Amino acid sequence: MKKPIGVFDSGYGGLTVLADLQKKLPKNDFLYLGDNARAPYGSRSFDVVYEFTLQAVQFLFSQGCELIILACNTASAKALRNIQQKYLPTIEEHKRVLGVIRPTSEIIGSITESRHIGILATEGTIKSDSYRLEIAKFFPDIEISQKSCPMWVPLIENQAYNQIGGKWFIEQDVMKLMAKDPAIDTILLGCTHYPIVAEIVKEIVGEDIQVITQGEIIANSLVDYLHRHEKLAKKCTKNGETTYYTTETAFDFDKKASSFLNKSIQSTHVIIS
Ligand code: DGL
């Protein structure tokens, strides 16, 4: 049986992380699941995000995954801890589920010089305060300002971010973040959808401010994790193949996914509830 590395996102955003994982680990098999039918997760409650994420994790385990990356910040913020501390120890002791907030937090201190950073993310991620809590563990000296961007995921999923109205929403949120702390020198795009609008954000803030996306950070962290967990790394199969599943219709997924990956793919529809 194939044992791919599972990559989960509420929708298309995780494809931006998957692309970097494939680049860094070209021999590994991956299984991507997008819960497109129920996205966005950004404004959903803790309980609902946990329930949906657990269903996704159970599906990925049923497909042979021993290791899963929750590529979704919102799921990492709202569901990961319970899955790691309550679900895995009792049901799937030897399997592992990892998130994206910790690896990003571990590295952010080596990027900022002013020690003032800004975070743009979904409402759920910002309200959970996960980044502030996690970053404080590694870099207590860093000043953090945050702004939720509830319109960005719908704009990206519907490919409306490049239109005048779409750009207006993006600019408003970026300016509101910068107004909170003009000393910000680093903006973290703390949502896997946001790399799609990274160039627009860069244009707004100018070149003195670094705009950070997560794909490469997560990929480097996974490579390091696999080095440190040889037994698990050996279990993961290596045919260089990726399989795609979506809870929406496969036709829609394939069409939109190609704009995230810059290549065409074929997915399979699945019901996970
Ligand atoms: N891509 C997800 C994240 O990284 C959120 C998108 C959504 O709201 O579903 O937070």
Side-chain angles (χ1 to χ4, degrees), residues 9-11 13-14 39-43 71-75 122 125 153 190-193:
D9 189 64
S10 59
Y41 279 15
S43 337
C72 180
N73 284 270
T74 311
T122 65
T125 301
V153 170
C191 170
T192 50
H193 281 68

Side-chain angles (χ1 to χ4, degrees), residues 84-131:
Q84 284 178 333
Q85 295 180 355
K86 295 195 180 134
Y87 178 73
L88 289 181
T90 48
I91 316 282
E92 300 282 7
E93 212 190 330
H94 301 293
K95 300 187 178 174
R96 290 291 171 265
V97 181
L98 308 174
V100 291
I101 292 176
R102 191 185 173 102
T104 310
S105 302
E106 278 174 357
I107 206 108
I108 202 85
S110 62
I111 300 172
T112 169
E113 278 176 25
S114 71
R115 316 308 281 168
H116 290 249
I117 69 161
I119 298 176
L120 297 168
T122 65
E123 217 180 325
T125 301
I126 300 295
K127 273 194 187 149
S128 75
D129 222 16
S130 301
Y131 271 109

Side-chain angles (χ1 to χ4, degrees), residues 221-256:
S221 162
L222 179 59
V223 169
D224 178 57
Y225 182 87
L226 291 172
H227 279 309
R228 288 184 287 111
H229 297 82
E230 245 180 62
K231 221 165 138 190
L232 184 59
K234 275 192 186 141
K235 281 191 200 165
C236 300
T237 53
K238 296 174 186 69
N239 306 293
E241 289 170 6
T242 301
T243 316
Y244 300 86
Y245 282 93
T246 174
T247 56
E248 245 307 338
T249 62
F251 178 78
D252 284 345
F253 184 85
D254 298 352
K255 214 167 74 185
K256 283 193 188 163

Side-chain angles (χ1 to χ4, degrees), residues 178-247:
M178 290 310 295
K180 287 183 186 214
D181 180 2
I184 289 171
D185 74 345
T186 304
I187 293 179
L188 168 67
L189 300 184
C191 170
T192 50
H193 281 68
Y194 297 0
I196 301 294
V197 296
E199 288 310 315
I200 299 177
V201 177
K202 281 182 196 166
E203 262 173 44
I204 297 166
V205 295
E207 44 189 43
D208 290 344
I209 294 174
Q210 308 188 70
V211 178
I212 307 298
T213 57
Q214 296 175 289
E216 207 181 330
I217 296 172
I218 307 308
N220 286 337
S221 162
L222 179 59
V223 169
D224 178 57
Y225 182 87
L226 291 172
H227 279 309
R228 288 184 287 111
H229 297 82
E230 245 180 62
K231 221 165 138 190
L232 184 59
K234 275 192 186 141
K235 281 191 200 165
C236 300
T237 53
K238 296 174 186 69
N239 306 293
E241 289 170 6
T242 301
T243 316
Y244 300 86
Y245 282 93
T246 174
T247 56

